[in-house]
Amino acid sequence: MAASSRFWGVASGLAAGALWGLVFLAPKMVPEASPLLLTAGRYLAYGLIAVLLIAPRWRRVTAALTREAWGALVWLSLAGNLVYFAFLVVSVHYAGVAASALIVGMVPVVVALWGLRDNDSPPLSRVAPPIAVAALAVGLIGWQSLSQGGGAAAQSGTATLIGLGCALAALLSWTAFAVGNSRWMGRLPDVTPHEWSLLTGVVTGGLALVLVIPSLFTLGGMTDDAWLRLIGVSAGVAIFASVIGNAFWNQASRLLPLTMLGQMIVSETLFAFIYGFIWEQRGPTVIEIVAMILMIVSVVWCVRAHRPAAVAAAEGEH
C-alpha cells in the first residue's frame, strides 16, 4: 500500500469518525422526540439532500450500476442505517446505554478480525496486538459506564436479555455494512466514494418513508420549539454525519484494507466521548483518559503494522 494512500485513508477514516460522533448528541438536543421520530427525520433529510446533490449526475452514475448493485444499496442502507439504529434504540431501552455501548463498541474488533481473510492483510501476529488494545479500550469504557450505573432503569431478566440480544444484532448489522460497503466500493471504480454515499442516501431516504406513519403516533410532547430543533438537528446530522461523513468513510474504505479500516471506526467512539464531555461540561475520568489513549495507540499501532516494509518482513518470517 502506497504511503500517500495510507495517509489519506487514515485521515478520511478519522474525519468520518469525527462527524459520526455528532450523532450521539442528537437525542440530547431534542429529548422530546421519540427514537422513531428522530430516525425518520434524520434519514428523510439525508435522502432529500442526497437527491438534490446527485440529481445533476444521476444518469451518468446510475448507468454504472447493475441490478445487483441496486440490491446491494438496499441491504447496505438497511444494515448500516435503519436496521442498525432500530436495534440500537431497543437495546438502549431494555439494557441501558452502558451495556449497549459496550457491545456495539466491539465493531472495530469484529471488522478487523473479519478482514484477516483478505489476501492483502498482514499476518495475525502483526494485527493481533493493536486489536487487543482496541478491545481493552472499549472494555474500559464499558466498565466505567457500568460502574457509574448510567444505564436505563432496572429491567426484568428477560427484558435485559432482549436488550443485550438487540445490541448484539446491532453489532452484527453494522459489521455486515462495514464489510459489504468496503467490498462494493472496490467493485465499482467508476463510482466515486461521494457518489456512492449519495446513492446510499437516496435509497435510505426512500426506505425511511416507511417510518413516517408509525412515527406520527409518537408525537406527544412535541412543541413548536421542539419541532424547529428536530428539523435543525435532522438536517445537521444528515449533512455532516450522513452525507459528508459517509463520503469520508467510503474514501477510507477504498484506500485501506479491512483490518486497518476496522481500527478507524474506533475514532467515532473517541469523538463521541469528547463531544459528550463538552455537552455535559465536565472533564474525563482517569479511566476514560486511559481508554482514549489506548484507542489512539491502537490506531497508530495498526497503521505501523500495515507499512509495506513491515508486512513484507513479517511474510518473510513464515
Side-chain angles (χ1 to χ4, degrees):
M1 185 194 306
S4 60
S5 296
R6 187 172 65 251
F7 171 81
W8 288 113
V10 171
S12 297
L14 292 176
L19 293 170
W20 283 349
L22 295 171
V23 173
F24 291 85
L25 292 181
K28 294 183 177 294
M29 298 178 71
V30 195
E32 304 91 340
S34 68
L36 189 63
L37 187 59
L38 271 173
T39 303
R42 172 189 176 181
Y43 291 120
L44 284 175
Y46 179 24
L48 178 60
I49 294 170
V51 167
L52 295 176
L53 291 177
I54 203 172
R57 42 188 156 168
W58 177 260
R59 289 187 178 181
R60 178 185 62 80
V61 174
T62 55
L65 300 182
T66 62
R67 179 178 298 181
E68 187 180 9
W70 280 110
L73 280 169
V74 171
W75 79 258
L76 287 173
S77 297
L78 288 170
N81 293 320
L82 300 174
V83 172
Y84 161 74
F85 196 74
F87 275 126
L88 183 62
V89 168
V90 177
S91 174
V92 170
H93 179 72
Y94 286 114
V97 175
S100 303
L102 176 61
I103 295 176
V104 176
M106 297 299 291
V107 165
V109 178
V110 178
V111 170
L113 290 174
W114 194 323
L116 289 175
R117 302 181 303 174
D118 290 357
N119 294 329
D120 61 344
S121 63
L124 178 61
S125 60
R126 282 281 174 181
V127 296
I131 289 175
V133 171
L136 177 59
V138 171
L140 280 175
I141 289 176
W143 179 79
Q144 169 75 14
S145 300
L146 289 170
S147 65
Q148 290 180 339
Q155 302 282 349
S156 68
T158 302
T160 301
L161 286 176
I162 292 174
L164 294 177
C166 287
L168 179 60
L171 167 64
L172 296 177
S173 182
W174 216 96
T175 299
F177 164 77
V179 175
N181 193 60
S182 177
R183 298 281 192 258
W184 273 97
M185 287 301 302
R187 295 175 61 178
L188 297 170
D190 295 332
V191 179
T192 68
H194 181 56
E195 291 168 346
W196 185 251
S197 174
L198 294 179
L199 287 170
T200 304
V202 172
V203 175
T204 302
L207 295 173
L209 289 173
V210 180
L211 300 179
V212 172
I213 294 179
S215 68
L216 294 178
F217 294 95
T218 64
L219 300 182
M222 288 294 293
T223 62
D224 291 342
D225 177 67
W227 276 110
L228 290 175
R229 281 184 282 115
L230 174 63
I231 293 173
V233 168
S234 296
V237 170
I239 293 172
F240 291 104
S242 296
V243 177
I244 303 177
N246 287 4
F248 274 122
W249 180 255
N250 287 338
Q251 183 67 23
S253 298
R254 177 163 286 176
L255 295 175
L256 300 176
L258 269 177
T259 46
M260 193 172 181
L261 185 66
Q263 300 300 299
M264 296 299 101
I265 307 175
V266 174
S267 63
E268 179 186 4
T269 304
L270 176 62
F271 280 105
F273 268 80
I274 293 175
Y275 299 150
F277 297 147
I278 295 174
W279 181 266
E280 297 173 0
Q281 298 183 352
R282 71 173 180 89
T285 65
V286 174
I287 292 178
E288 289 168 339
I289 292 175
V290 172
M292 288 188 287
I293 292 175
L294 288 175
M295 284 183 173
I296 296 173
V297 169
S298 172
V299 172
V300 173
W301 197 346
C302 194
V303 170
R304 290 176 62 84
H306 282 80
R307 289 183 305 175
V311 175
E315 290 175 346
E317 295 172 358
H318 293 279

